Amino acid sequence: MGKFTLFQYNNKDTEMTAQAAAGTQSRTDTRMHFLFLFFVLTCALLCSCSTIKGTARYISDSTDEFVNTRGGRADYDFGQGMRMYKEAGIYTGEIVTRVHPTANLEGKPTALFVPLGLVQNSRDHQAVSLGVSRLVYESFLAEQTFAALEYYDYIVPYRAEDMLPVAREKGADYLIGGVINQYFDGGAAGDSRFAMQLYVYQVESGDLMWSLHHSGVLPYKPDADYSFFKVKNRMPVNPMSTLIAAVSGELAELIHYWTDYKTMEERERKEYEKSFSGYMDPDAF
């Protein structure tokens, strides 16, 4: 058995002390990691109280369109633990403009809206066409794009050459029609997809003034279960109707700039001032 010199003994003692210090440091790092994780979860909980706004591709649904009432963004249950809620988001693509006028109108015109045709094969072809058309028509009414907008109900497939004489008889300035390119209702447990083509004709001349294509998707996201909390995703009561209203609403807003640019410019100015009202308020500081 070998003998230890004083130098070897001191090195051994130093190594043991270093190992003890390393164990203490390891326990300290574990505590720091736990505190950091707790801080991150707290920040995530606080950030969940905000919504995504101001983006062109995301549209937040209103409160009354959800199955579960919004009693807050998070709650706690002794059986399920911490639960955070997230509303389903509607994502719309860029509006594809194939034909557009070169100048804005001086005043709001009148228009006749005719039901949209359905391109894809479907057993409920007529029901889908009339149901979607009503939702698109209501979006234009809500936006107040035209001075007067009449809905002409008919069951034959959409044809501009057949509808222009009807619009002239009714004294409308423009004719609004189009086709439904994609209609997929995923319900509350699947992805919903919608795409449409919108046409606006000048009744007197029969010229095509607008040709617009727009689409959107409302994806379904299952609930996520994490170690310390759960994220539950809320779907609208009627996902497909909500998606159609969002897509057609953006089309109605675009055409509104053409029919009444001054009103839309004033709306933009008010929204801009409202977004900075908190900074301009002296009592906010």
Side-chain angles (χ1 to χ4, degrees), residues 104-108 255-270:
N104 296 325
L105 299 177
E106 296 181 357
K108 279 188 177 182
I255 298 180
H256 198 177
Y257 278 94
W258 173 57
T259 60
D260 193 358
Y261 181 78
K262 292 183 179 180
T263 300
M264 298 302 292
E265 192 177 28
E266 180 67 16
R267 178 193 295 184
E268 284 186 353
R269 185 186 64 82
K270 291 181 179 179

Side-chain angles (χ1 to χ4, degrees), residues 150-164:
E150 181 182 350
Y151 184 85
Y152 183 71
D153 197 357
Y154 76 109
I155 59 176
V156 298
Y158 166 76
R159 293 186 179 89
E161 59 272 16
D162 296 335
M163 293 298 102
L164 282 172

Side-chain angles (χ1 to χ4, degrees), residues 58-63 65-66 70 87-90 218 236 242:
Y58 179 90
I59 303 174
S60 179
D61 298 315
S62 59
T63 306
E65 290 177 335
F66 287 94
R70 190 183 307 179
E87 293 84 355
I90 300 177
L218 198 162
T242 306

Side-chain angles (χ1 to χ4, degrees), residues 180-249:
I180 304 167
N181 302 110
Q182 184 182 29
Y183 180 91
F184 182 79
D185 188 356
D191 296 346
S192 296
R193 301 178 182 276
F194 177 72
M196 63 174 293
Q197 185 85 19
L198 191 72
Y199 303 110
V200 179
Y201 291 90
Q202 188 179 35
V203 174
E204 183 179 357
S205 62
D207 295 336
L208 179 62
M209 306 301 295
W210 286 94
S211 177
L212 303 170
H213 180 272
H214 201 21
S215 61
V217 58
L218 198 162
Y220 168 76
K221 295 182 179 179
D223 297 341
D225 190 357
Y226 299 97
S227 300
F228 300 98
F229 61 93
K230 295 181 180 180
V231 177
K232 302 180 72 65
N233 294 278
R234 291 173 172 173
M235 293 291 286
V237 175
N238 194 328
M240 196 62 189
S241 298
T242 306
L243 176 60
I244 295 172
V247 173
S248 58

